[in-house]
Amino acid sequence: MKGFQVTFYTQQNRRHEGKMLADWLVALAMEMGLRGATLVSGIEGFGRTRHFHSHHFFEMADQPMLIVMAMSEEECEELFQRLHDEEVTLFYVKVPAEFGVLGPPLDA
């Protein structure tokens, strides 16, 4: 299948609707019926403000978080519209991708 791989970048301390933004986004993907989402904890990095974010004992709330998803063009449009409607501010990278599943079905 052809579509996109989308990676969203945030920090552990960012919240939306009272939940950690990264967790909220994974739950949204599930609610929307997307194929999956992977939440990755980063060690360190910096963003557009040039503020350094890291995972250290005293700064764990500032830990970088990535949410990676593969989706069709239609699913991507629906997700981005939902994020727009929710007024979520979030940096992302969207690249064309071919994706699928190899091997026998998992539930066979």
Side-chain angles (χ1 to χ4, degrees):
M1 177 171 274
K2 298 217 184 259
F4 299 99
Q5 177 177 315
V6 180
T7 304
F8 296 98
Y9 296 78
T10 188
Q11 294 85 40
Q12 188 173 7
N13 61 353
R14 297 228 13 236
R15 303 264 181 231
H16 184 72
E17 294 185 352
K19 292 179 72 175
M20 189 173 79
L21 179 58
D23 287 342
W24 177 85
L25 189 52
V26 170
L28 176 63
M30 184 177 279
E31 173 192 316
M32 293 180 67
L34 300 181
R35 288 170 184 78
T38 301
L39 176 57
V40 181
S41 299
I43 300 299
E44 58 188 24
F46 69 91
R48 62 186 172 151
T49 62
R50 314 300 282 180
H51 177 77
F52 192 70
H53 304 280
S54 63
H55 172 44
H56 294 290
F57 182 71
F58 294 108
E59 301 171 355
M60 287 180 71
D62 200 34
Q63 180 178 2
M65 307 296 282
L66 286 74
I67 304 92
V68 183
M69 303 178 195
M71 63 192 84
S72 70
E73 184 173 356
E74 295 79 23
E75 291 167 332
C76 190
E77 289 173 7
E78 290 176 22
L79 176 61
F80 278 57
Q81 183 60 54
R82 181 74 180 270
L83 294 172
H84 173 76
D85 293 346
E86 292 278 343
E87 297 182 349
V88 174
T89 300
L90 197 56
F91 180 79
Y92 69 92
V93 174
K94 176 176 142 182
V95 294
E98 179 179 326
F99 57 93
V101 178
L102 298 174
L106 293 176
D107 51 3

